[in-house]
Coordinates of all heavy atoms in Angstrom, one line a residue:
M1 N -2.1 18.3 24.8 CA -2.0 17.9 23.4 C -0.5 17.8 23.0 O -0.3 17.1 22.0 CB -2.8 18.8 22.5 CG -4.3 18.7 22.8 SD -5.0 17.1 22.6 CE -4.8 16.8 20.9
T2 N 0.3 18.5 23.7 CA 1.7 18.5 23.3 C 2.3 17.2 23.4 O 3.1 16.7 22.5 CB 2.5 19.5 24.1 OG1 1.9 20.8 24.0 CG2 4.0 19.6 23.8
A3 N 2.0 16.4 24.4 CA 2.5 15.1 24.6 C 2.0 14.2 23.5 O 2.7 13.3 23.0 CB 2.1 14.5 25.9
V4 N 0.7 14.3 23.1 CA 0.1 13.5 22.0 C 0.9 13.9 20.7 O 1.2 12.9 19.9 CB -1.4 13.8 21.8 CG1 -1.9 13.1 20.6 CG2 -2.1 13.3 23.1
E5 N 1.1 15.1 20.4 CA 1.8 15.5 19.2 C 3.2 15.0 19.2 O 3.7 14.5 18.1 CB 1.8 17.0 19.0 CG 0.4 17.6 18.7 CD 0.3 19.1 18.8 OE1 1.4 19.7 18.9 OE2 -0.8 19.6 18.6
T6 N 3.9 15.0 20.3 CA 5.3 14.5 20.4 C 5.3 13.0 20.1 O 6.1 12.5 19.3 CB 5.9 14.8 21.7 OG1 5.9 16.2 21.9 CG2 7.3 14.3 21.8
T7 N 4.3 12.3 20.7 CA 4.2 10.8 20.4 C 3.9 10.5 19.0 O 4.6 9.6 18.4 CB 3.2 10.2 21.4 OG1 3.5 10.5 22.7 CG2 3.0 8.7 21.2
L8 N 3.0 11.3 18.4 CA 2.7 11.0 17.0 C 3.9 11.3 16.1 O 4.1 10.6 15.1 CB 1.5 11.9 16.6 CG 0.1 11.5 17.2 CD1 -0.9 12.6 16.9 CD2 -0.3 10.1 16.7
K9 N 4.6 12.4 16.4 CA 5.8 12.8 15.6 C 6.8 11.6 15.6 O 7.3 11.2 14.6 CB 6.4 14.0 16.1 CG 7.5 14.6 15.3 CD 8.2 15.8 15.9 CE 7.2 16.9 16.1 NZ 7.9 18.1 16.6
S10 N 7.0 11.0 16.8 CA 7.9 9.9 16.9 C 7.4 8.7 16.1 O 8.2 8.0 15.4 CB 8.1 9.6 18.4 OG 9.0 8.5 18.5
L11 N 6.1 8.4 16.3 CA 5.5 7.2 15.6 C 5.7 7.4 14.1 O 6.1 6.5 13.4 CB 4.1 7.1 16.0 CG 3.8 6.3 17.2 CD1 2.3 6.5 17.6 CD2 4.1 4.8 17.1
F12 N 5.3 8.5 13.6 CA 5.3 8.8 12.1 C 6.7 8.8 11.6 O 7.0 8.4 10.5 CB 4.6 10.1 11.8 CG 3.1 10.0 12.0 CD1 2.4 11.1 12.5 CD2 2.4 8.9 11.6 CE1 1.0 11.0 12.6 CE2 1.0 8.8 11.7 CZ 0.3 9.9 12.3
Y13 N 7.7 9.3 12.4 CA 9.1 9.3 12.0 C 9.7 7.9 11.9 O 10.4 7.6 11.0 CB 9.9 10.2 12.9 CG 11.4 10.3 12.5 CD1 11.7 11.2 11.4 CD2 12.3 9.6 13.1 CE1 13.1 11.3 11.1 CE2 13.7 9.7 12.7 CZ 14.0 10.5 11.7 OH 15.3 10.6 11.3
H14 N 9.4 7.1 12.9 CA 10.1 5.8 13.1 C 9.3 4.6 12.5 O 9.9 3.5 12.3 CB 10.4 5.5 14.5 CG 11.4 6.4 15.1 ND1 12.7 6.4 14.9 CD2 11.2 7.4 16.0 CE1 13.3 7.3 15.5 NE2 12.4 8.0 16.3
T15 N 8.1 4.8 12.1 CA 7.3 3.7 11.5 C 6.6 4.2 10.2 O 5.7 4.9 10.2 CB 6.1 3.4 12.5 OG1 6.7 3.2 13.8 CG2 5.4 2.1 12.1
P16 N 7.2 3.7 9.1 CA 6.6 4.1 7.8 C 5.3 3.4 7.6 O 5.0 2.3 8.0 CB 7.7 3.6 6.8 CG 8.4 2.5 7.6 CD 8.4 2.8 9.0
R17 N 4.4 4.1 6.9 CA 3.1 3.6 6.5 C 2.3 3.1 7.7 O 1.9 1.9 7.7 CB 3.2 2.6 5.4 CG 3.7 3.2 4.1 CD 3.7 2.2 3.0 NE 5.0 1.5 2.9 CZ 6.1 2.0 2.3 NH1 6.0 3.2 1.7 NH2 7.2 1.3 2.2
V18 N 2.1 3.9 8.7 CA 1.3 3.5 9.9 C 0.0 4.3 9.9 O -0.1 5.4 9.5 CB 2.2 3.7 11.2 CG1 2.5 5.2 11.4 CG2 1.5 3.1 12.4
T19 N -1.0 3.6 10.4 CA -2.3 4.3 10.7 C -2.5 4.3 12.2 O -2.5 3.2 12.8 CB -3.5 3.6 10.0 OG1 -3.2 3.5 8.6 CG2 -4.8 4.2 10.3
V20 N -2.8 5.5 12.7 CA -3.0 5.6 14.2 C -4.4 6.1 14.4 O -4.9 7.1 13.8 CB -2.0 6.7 14.8 CG1 -2.3 6.9 16.3 CG2 -0.6 6.2 14.5
Y21 N -5.1 5.4 15.2 CA -6.5 5.7 15.6 C -6.5 6.4 17.0 O -6.0 5.8 18.0 CB -7.4 4.5 15.7 CG -7.6 3.9 14.3 CD1 -6.6 2.9 13.9 CD2 -8.7 4.2 13.5 CE1 -6.8 2.3 12.6 CE2 -8.8 3.6 12.3 CZ -7.9 2.7 11.8 OH -8.0 2.1 10.6
L22 N -7.0 7.6 17.1 CA -7.0 8.4 18.3 C -8.4 8.5 18.8 O -9.2 9.3 18.3 CB -6.4 9.7 18.2 CG -6.3 10.6 19.4 CD1 -5.5 9.9 20.5 CD2 -5.6 11.9 19.1
A23 N -8.8 7.7 19.8 CA -10.2 7.7 20.4 C -10.3 9.0 21.2 O -9.5 9.3 22.0 CB -10.4 6.5 21.2
N24 N -11.3 9.8 20.9 CA -11.5 11.0 21.6 C -13.0 11.5 21.5 O -13.7 10.9 20.7 CB -10.6 12.1 21.0 CG -11.1 12.6 19.7 OD1 -11.9 13.5 19.5 ND2 -10.7 11.9 18.6
E25 N -13.4 12.4 22.4 CA -14.7 12.9 22.4 C -14.8 14.3 21.8 O -15.8 14.6 21.2 CB -15.2 13.0 23.8 CG -15.4 11.7 24.5 CD -15.9 11.9 25.9 OE1 -15.3 12.7 26.7 OE2 -16.9 11.2 26.3
D26 N -13.8 15.1 21.8 CA -13.9 16.5 21.4 C -12.8 17.2 20.8 O -12.7 18.3 20.8 CB -14.3 17.3 22.7 CG -13.3 17.1 23.8 OD1 -12.3 16.4 23.6 OD2 -13.5 17.7 24.9
I27 N -11.8 16.4 20.2 CA -10.8 17.1 19.5 C -11.3 17.5 18.1 O -11.9 16.7 17.4 CB -9.6 16.1 19.3 CG1 -9.0 15.7 20.7 CG2 -8.4 16.8 18.5 CD1 -8.0 14.6 20.7
L28 N -11.0 18.7 17.8 CA -11.5 19.3 16.5 C -10.9 18.6 15.3 O -9.7 18.2 15.3 CB -11.1 20.8 16.4 CG -11.7 21.7 17.5 CD1 -11.2 23.1 17.4 CD2 -13.2 21.7 17.4
A29 N -11.7 18.4 14.3 CA -11.3 17.8 13.0 C -10.1 18.6 12.4 O -9.3 18.0 11.7 CB -12.5 17.7 12.1
E30 N -10.1 19.8 12.6 CA -9.0 20.7 12.0 C -7.6 20.2 12.6 O -6.6 20.2 11.8 CB -9.2 22.2 12.3 CG -8.2 23.1 11.8 CD -8.4 24.5 12.1 OE1 -9.4 24.9 12.7 OE2 -7.5 25.3 11.7
W31 N -7.6 19.9 13.8 CA -6.4 19.4 14.5 C -5.9 18.2 13.7 O -4.7 18.0 13.5 CB -6.6 19.2 15.9 CG -5.3 18.8 16.7 CD1 -4.3 19.6 17.2 CD2 -4.9 17.4 17.0 NE1 -3.3 18.8 17.7 CE2 -3.7 17.5 17.7 CE3 -5.5 16.2 16.7 CZ2 -3.0 16.4 18.1 CZ3 -4.8 15.0 17.2 CH2 -3.6 15.2 17.9
F32 N -6.8 17.2 13.5 CA -6.4 16.0 12.8 C -5.9 16.3 11.4 O -5.0 15.7 10.9 CB -7.6 15.0 12.7 CG -7.9 14.4 14.0 CD1 -8.7 14.9 15.0 CD2 -7.3 13.1 14.3 CE1 -8.9 14.3 16.2 CE2 -7.5 12.5 15.5 CZ -8.3 13.1 16.5
R33 N -6.6 17.2 10.7 CA -6.1 17.6 9.3 C -4.7 18.2 9.4 O -3.9 17.8 8.5 CB -7.1 18.6 8.7 CG -8.3 18.0 8.1 CD -9.1 19.0 7.3 NE -9.6 20.1 8.1 CZ -10.7 20.2 8.7 NH1 -11.5 19.2 8.8 NH2 -11.1 21.3 9.4
N34 N -4.4 19.0 10.4 CA -3.1 19.6 10.5 C -2.0 18.5 10.8 O -0.9 18.6 10.2 CB -3.1 20.7 11.6 CG -3.8 21.9 11.2 OD1 -3.9 22.2 10.0 ND2 -4.3 22.7 12.2
I35 N -2.3 17.6 11.7 CA -1.4 16.5 12.0 C -1.1 15.7 10.7 O 0.0 15.4 10.4 CB -1.9 15.6 13.1 CG1 -2.0 16.4 14.4 CG2 -1.1 14.3 13.2 CD1 -0.7 16.8 15.0
N36 N -2.2 15.4 10.0 CA -2.0 14.6 8.8 C -1.2 15.3 7.7 O -0.4 14.7 6.9 CB -3.3 14.1 8.2 CG -3.9 12.9 9.0 OD1 -3.1 12.0 9.3 ND2 -5.1 12.9 9.4
H37 N -1.4 16.6 7.6 CA -0.7 17.4 6.6 C 0.8 17.7 7.0 O 1.6 17.6 6.1 CB -1.5 18.8 6.5 CG -0.8 19.6 5.5 ND1 -0.9 19.4 4.1 CD2 -0.1 20.8 5.6 CE1 -0.2 20.3 3.5 NE2 0.3 21.2 4.3
H38 N 1.0 17.9 8.3 CA 2.4 18.3 8.7 C 3.3 17.2 9.2 O 4.5 17.3 9.1 CB 2.3 19.5 9.7 CG 1.7 20.7 9.2 ND1 2.4 21.5 8.2 CD2 0.5 21.3 9.4 CE1 1.6 22.5 7.9 NE2 0.5 22.5 8.6
L39 N 2.7 16.2 9.9 CA 3.4 15.2 10.6 C 3.4 13.8 9.9 O 4.5 13.2 9.9 CB 3.0 15.0 12.0 CG 3.2 16.2 13.0 CD1 2.8 15.8 14.4 CD2 4.7 16.6 13.0
A40 N 2.3 13.4 9.4 CA 2.2 12.1 8.8 C 2.9 12.1 7.5 O 2.7 12.9 6.6 CB 0.7 11.7 8.6
G41 N 3.8 11.0 7.4 CA 4.5 10.9 6.1 C 3.7 10.2 5.1 O 2.5 9.8 5.3
P42 N 4.3 10.0 3.9 CA 3.5 9.2 2.8 C 3.1 7.9 3.3 O 3.9 7.1 3.9 CB 4.6 9.1 1.7 CG 5.6 10.1 2.0 CD 5.6 10.4 3.5
G43 N 1.8 7.5 3.1 CA 1.3 6.3 3.5 C 0.9 6.2 5.0 O 0.4 5.2 5.4
S44 N 1.1 7.2 5.8 CA 0.7 7.2 7.2 C -0.5 8.2 7.4 O -0.7 9.1 6.6 CB 1.9 7.7 8.0 OG 2.9 6.8 8.0
R45 N -1.3 7.9 8.4 CA -2.4 8.9 8.7 C -2.8 8.7 10.1 O -2.6 7.6 10.8 CB -3.5 8.7 7.8 CG -4.3 7.4 7.9 CD -5.3 7.2 6.8 NE -6.0 5.9 7.0 CZ -7.2 5.8 7.2 NH1 -8.0 6.8 7.1 NH2 -7.8 4.6 7.3
L46 N -3.4 9.8 10.6 CA -4.1 9.8 12.0 C -5.6 9.8 11.7 O -6.1 10.6 11.0 CB -3.6 11.0 12.7 CG -4.3 11.2 14.1 CD1 -4.0 10.1 15.0 CD2 -3.8 12.5 14.7
V47 N -6.3 8.9 12.4 CA -7.7 8.8 12.2 C -8.4 9.3 13.4 O -8.1 8.9 14.6 CB -8.1 7.3 11.9 CG1 -9.6 7.2 11.8 CG2 -7.4 6.8 10.7
D48 N -9.4 10.1 13.2 CA -10.2 10.7 14.3 C -11.3 9.7 14.6 O -12.3 9.5 13.9 CB -10.8 12.0 13.8 CG -11.7 12.7 14.9 OD1 -11.7 12.3 16.0 OD2 -12.3 13.8 14.5
L49 N -11.2 9.0 15.8 CA -12.2 8.0 16.2 C -13.0 8.6 17.3 O -12.6 8.6 18.5 CB -11.4 6.8 16.7 CG -12.3 5.6 17.1 CD1 -13.2 5.1 16.0 CD2 -11.4 4.5 17.6
K50 N -14.2 9.2 16.9 CA -15.1 9.8 17.9 C -15.8 8.7 18.7 O -16.3 7.8 18.1 CB -16.1 10.7 17.2 CG -15.5 11.9 16.6 CD -15.0 12.9 17.7 CE -14.5 14.2 17.1 NZ -13.3 14.7 17.7
I51 N -15.7 8.8 20.0 CA -16.4 7.8 20.9 C -16.7 8.4 22.2 O -16.0 9.3 22.7 CB -15.4 6.6 21.0 CG1 -16.1 5.4 21.7 CG2 -14.2 6.9 21.7 CD1 -15.5 4.1 21.5
A52 N -17.8 8.1 22.7 CA -18.2 8.5 24.1 C -17.4 7.7 25.1 O -17.8 6.6 25.5 CB -19.7 8.4 24.3
L53 N -16.3 8.2 25.6 CA -15.4 7.5 26.5 C -16.1 7.1 27.8 O -15.8 6.0 28.3 CB -14.2 8.2 26.7 CG -13.3 8.6 25.5 CD1 -12.2 9.5 25.9 CD2 -12.8 7.3 24.9
A54 N -17.0 7.9 28.3 CA -17.7 7.5 29.5 C -18.6 6.3 29.4 O -18.8 5.7 30.4 CB -18.5 8.7 30.0
R55 N -18.9 5.9 28.2 CA -19.8 4.8 28.0 C -19.1 3.5 27.9 O -19.7 2.4 27.9 CB -20.7 5.0 26.8 CG -21.6 6.2 26.9 CD -22.5 6.3 25.7 NE -23.3 5.0 25.7 CZ -24.4 5.0 25.0 NH1 -24.8 6.0 24.3 NH2 -25.1 3.8 25.0
L56 N -17.7 3.6 27.8 CA -16.9 2.3 27.8 C -16.7 1.8 29.2 O -16.2 2.5 30.0 CB -15.6 2.6 27.1 CG -15.6 3.0 25.6 CD1 -14.2 3.3 25.1 CD2 -16.2 1.9 24.8
P57 N -17.0 0.5 29.4 CA -16.9 0.0 30.8 C -15.4 -0.2 31.2 O -15.2 -0.3 32.4 CB -17.6 -1.4 30.7 CG -17.6 -1.7 29.2 CD -17.6 -0.4 28.5
L58 N -14.5 -0.3 30.2 CA -13.1 -0.6 30.6 C -12.2 0.6 30.7 O -11.0 0.5 30.7 CB -12.5 -1.6 29.6 CG -13.2 -3.0 29.6 CD1 -12.5 -3.8 28.5 CD2 -13.1 -3.6 30.9
V59 N -12.8 1.8 30.7 CA -12.1 3.0 30.7 C -12.2 3.8 32.0 O -13.4 3.9 32.5 CB -12.5 4.0 29.5 CG1 -11.8 5.3 29.6 CG2 -12.2 3.3 28.2
K60 N -11.1 4.2 32.6 CA -11.1 4.9 33.8 C -10.6 6.3 33.5 O -9.5 6.4 32.9 CB -10.2 4.2 34.8 CG -10.0 4.9 36.1 CD -9.0 4.1 36.9 CE -8.5 4.9 38.1 NZ -7.4 4.2 38.8
R61 N -11.3 7.3 34.0 CA -10.8 8.7 33.8 C -9.8 9.0 34.8 O -10.0 8.9 36.0 CB -12.0 9.6 33.8 CG -12.8 9.5 32.6 CD -13.7 10.8 32.6 NE -14.5 10.7 31.4 CZ -14.1 11.2 30.2 NH1 -12.9 11.8 30.1 NH2 -14.9 11.2 29.1
L62 N -8.6 9.6 34.3 CA -7.6 10.0 35.2 C -7.6 11.5 35.4 O -7.0 12.1 36.3 CB -6.2 9.6 34.6 CG -6.0 8.2 34.4 CD1 -4.6 7.9 33.7 CD2 -6.1 7.4 35.7
G63 N -8.3 12.2 34.6 CA -8.4 13.7 34.6 C -9.3 14.1 33.5 O -9.9 13.3 32.8
P64 N -9.3 15.4 33.2 CA -10.2 16.0 32.2 C -10.0 15.4 30.8 O -10.9 15.3 30.0 CB -10.0 17.5 32.3 CG -8.9 17.7 33.2 CD -8.6 16.4 33.9
T65 N -8.7 15.1 30.5 CA -8.5 14.7 29.1 C -7.6 13.4 29.1 O -7.3 12.9 28.0 CB -7.6 15.7 28.3 OG1 -6.4 16.0 29.1 CG2 -8.5 17.0 28.2
S66 N -7.4 12.8 30.2 CA -6.6 11.5 30.3 C -7.4 10.3 30.7 O -8.3 10.4 31.5 CB -5.4 11.7 31.3 OG -4.6 12.8 31.0
I67 N -7.1 9.2 30.0 CA -7.8 8.0 30.3 C -6.8 6.8 30.4 O -5.7 7.0 29.9 CB -8.9 7.6 29.3 CG1 -8.3 7.4 27.9 CG2 -10.0 8.7 29.3 CD1 -9.2 6.7 26.9
S68 N -7.1 5.8 31.0 CA -6.3 4.6 30.9 C -7.3 3.4 30.9 O -8.4 3.4 31.3 CB -5.4 4.4 32.1 OG -6.1 4.2 33.3
M69 N -6.8 2.3 30.4 CA -7.6 1.1 30.3 C -7.5 0.4 31.7 O -6.4 0.3 32.3 CB -7.1 0.1 29.3 CG -7.2 0.7 27.9 SD -8.8 1.3 27.4 CE -9.7 -0.3 27.2
V70 N -8.7 0.0 32.2 CA -8.7 -0.7 33.5 C -8.5 -2.2 33.2 O -9.1 -2.8 32.3 CB -10.1 -0.5 34.2 CG1 -10.2 -1.3 35.5 CG2 -10.3 1.0 34.4
T71 N -7.6 -2.8 34.0 CA -7.3 -4.2 33.7 C -7.8 -5.1 34.9 O -8.0 -4.6 36.0 CB -5.8 -4.5 33.5 OG1 -5.1 -4.0 34.6 CG2 -5.4 -3.9 32.2

């Protein structure tokens, strides 16, 4: 999650008024609230997009929490 937080921090710092959708299966809603409260600037937000990643045909699992799009 540290890499995700670092990426979000950079996005929110360099891109004003951005909405980021993070597809996930099991990240706690509290984590999203904390990110939106502490990292997202005015007009920016992180959206919790709950989705069963295993059901997507174009997603390949790289590890327990990593995915990539299959091309």
Side-chain angles (χ1 to χ4, degrees):
M1 293 306 292
T2 302
V4 172
E5 291 173 3
T6 301
T7 301
L8 290 170
K9 187 184 296 184
S10 180
L11 278 169
F12 290 139
Y13 181 80
H14 293 289
T15 311
R17 292 185 270 278
V18 64
T19 300
V20 178
Y21 295 86
L22 182 58
N24 71 93
E25 294 178 311
D26 57 2
I27 300 173
L28 299 175
E30 180 181 359
W31 183 83
F32 284 87
R33 282 192 297 273
N34 287 335
I35 294 294
N36 281 317
H37 180 73
H38 295 291
L39 292 182
S44 294
R45 68 185 179 125
L46 175 62
V47 178
D48 182 5
L49 181 61
K50 293 291 187 220
I51 189 163
L53 297 174
R55 297 185 62 162
L56 294 176
L58 298 178
V59 173
K60 172 183 166 187
R61 288 195 175 273
L62 300 176
T65 58
S66 300
I67 62 166
S68 70
M69 298 304 290
V70 177
T71 56

